[in-house]
């Protein structure tokens, strides 16, 4: 009989919500892009980013090359994402857009 894996002992070594990490977050209604400045039990605070209104081809162009078809820069210093609304999230290995495109 095969023993079931104990998920509690299979801890990941990657913390995707680390302060300073650049991240693209898809929620049930929007896509947010920015640098993490704080993580709470039900929110993630981002800065230096905004709302992605239109990605290019998601895997090939957006994630691989950092291409965005339309981006709206946040007018404030920071903005938040509710953790309960997150569908998926991706590391952003590119420069963050500095203006609305």
């Amino acid at each position: 009989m095969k023993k079931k894996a104990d998920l509690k002992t299979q801890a990941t070594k990657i913390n995707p919500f680390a302060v300073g990490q650049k991240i693209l977050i898809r929620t049930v209604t929007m896509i947010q892009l920015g640098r993490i400045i704080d993580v709470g039990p039900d929110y993630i605070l981002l800065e230096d980013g905004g709302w992605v209104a239109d990605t290019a081809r998601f895997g090939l162009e957006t994630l691989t090359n950092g291409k965005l078809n339309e981006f709206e820069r946040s007018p404030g210093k920071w903005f938040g994402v509710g953790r309960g609304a997150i569908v998926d999230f991706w590391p952003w290995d590119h420069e963050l857009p500095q203006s609305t495109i």
Side-chain angles (χ1 to χ4, degrees), residues 16-17 21-52 71 74 78-90:
F17 301 133
Q21 167 97 18
K22 292 183 289 185
I23 193 166
L24 182 141
I25 302 172
R26 293 195 295 185
T27 69
V28 294
T29 59
M30 301 176 78
I31 302 172
Q32 305 291 345
L33 176 63
R35 182 176 296 105
I36 297 172
I37 58 172
D38 191 28
V39 179
D42 58 353
Y43 65 86
I44 299 171
L45 293 183
L46 302 172
E47 69 176 358
D48 197 22
W51 172 54
V52 178
F71 175 79
S74 171
W78 58 267
F79 55 98
V81 176
R83 290 177 69 167
I86 294 174
V87 175
D88 58 15
F89 49 90
W90 304 83

Side-chain angles (χ1 to χ4, degrees), residues 39-83:
V39 179
D42 58 353
Y43 65 86
I44 299 171
L45 293 183
L46 302 172
E47 69 176 358
D48 197 22
W51 172 54
V52 178
D54 184 12
T55 66
R57 295 285 305 258
F58 190 69
L60 179 64
E61 294 177 325
T62 298
L63 296 177
T64 303
N65 300 322
K67 183 177 188 305
L68 302 171
N69 288 338
E70 189 175 353
F71 175 79
E72 290 187 25
R73 184 93 175 145
S74 171
K77 180 168 174 60
W78 58 267
F79 55 98
V81 176
R83 290 177 69 167

